[in-house]
Amino acid sequence: MRRSFIIGNWKMNGSRAENDQLLASLSEQAANLNGVELAVCVPFVYIAQASESLAASCIAFGAQDVSVHPSGAYTGEISVGMLADFNCHYVIVGHSERRQYHQEGNLLVAKKALAALKGGLTPIVCVGETLEQRESGDTLSVIEQQLSSVQAVLDNDSLSQIVIAYEPVWAIGTGLTASPEQAQEVHEFIRKKLSGAADKVSVLYGGSVKPDNAKALFQQPDIDGALVGGASLDALAFIQIASAV
Ligand code: PGA
């Protein structure tokens, strides 16, 4: 079933002291929110801290990447089983920063989504076009390829268990947001592509979501919430975004 989500992506930010404050403040303010699921995806080393801090809270937590391998000689990697061991619910896969700086391709991203599902985690699969691709009119074909790779490895039942985040690369961390109409056009396209799973998959928007632009985005019929980077490091801004759903 489509649900409303606001998911924070802390990226490579935080310290134990800062996280303590942020998580405590989020937990306190989230208690009054209804009808929206909240989660934070934190750096690997802070997952145990999130798990402890959020134990009594309605906020879930997850990681920002995962290995496709279950265990073994993969120095520096973290497996789905390890994330599950710390009760992670979510893992972001295919974030554009992984695609861009770590050369992750569509097939690897699809395999990560499959590995996450098999291990009992919900993958948040990111798709999105660069500015160059948008300007050359290739937005929908880029999204189509990114989605098709995922659909090629997941059956319809598995597909209905993922969360998708549409994040135009040109809008991430730039302060430039896709207009609600630009975002809706892509979200509608994604939903059509999901065919049998269309009513079950939540499709989130990401890219410079802030308290002042959230409402107009969430009013679009195919936008089910947001993946929030920068603004998720500020408890008040994050909760204001969640209140706009
Ligand atoms: P941003 O990041 O909100 O800082 O643009 C979003 C994301 O990368 O998930």
Side-chain angles (χ1 to χ4, degrees), residues 146-224:
Q146 292 171 334
L147 272 183
S148 297
S149 309
V150 174
Q151 287 175 302
V153 302
L154 299 186
D155 59 27
N156 234 19
D157 194 38
S158 307
L159 190 66
S160 64
Q161 294 171 49
I162 71 172
V163 171
I164 293 178
Y166 166 56
E167 298 205 308
V169 179
W170 48 272
I172 295 177
T174 57
L176 293 173
T177 325
S179 68
E181 295 73 25
Q182 281 174 323
Q184 169 58 24
E185 184 197 8
V186 179
H187 279 239
E188 190 181 345
F189 176 78
I190 292 172
R191 205 167 298 286
K192 284 204 181 113
K193 276 270 307 166
L194 291 169
S195 57
D199 293 341
K200 303 194 179 97
V201 176
S202 299
V203 186
L204 317 183
Y205 169 79
S208 300
V209 176
K210 304 279 182 266
D212 60 359
N213 58 27
K215 204 175 187 105
L217 287 161
F218 301 155
Q219 276 167 350
Q220 300 300 314
D222 288 299
I223 300 184
D224 299 314

Side-chain angles (χ1 to χ4, degrees), residues 9 18 30 46 48-49 53 57 78 92 96 129 137 143 153 186 213:
N9 173 11
E18 284 169 4
Y46 297 131
Q49 185 184 18
S53 269
S57 147
I78 301 285
I92 297 172
S96 65
E129 81 289 0
I143 304 291
V153 302
V186 179
N213 58 27

Side-chain angles (χ1 to χ4, degrees), residues 104-149:
E104 293 196 10
N106 288 342
L107 182 60
L108 180 68
V109 172
K111 285 182 177 167
K112 288 186 175 191
L114 179 64
L117 283 171
K118 280 191 173 160
L121 270 75
T122 299
I124 301 157
V125 181
C126 299
V127 297
E129 81 289 0
T130 61
L131 186 57
E132 203 184 1
Q133 289 163 336
R134 174 160 283 267
E135 285 176 344
S136 54
D138 294 330
T139 298
L140 298 183
S141 65
V142 168
I143 304 291
E144 165 139 48
Q145 280 167 25
Q146 292 171 334
L147 272 183
S148 297
S149 309

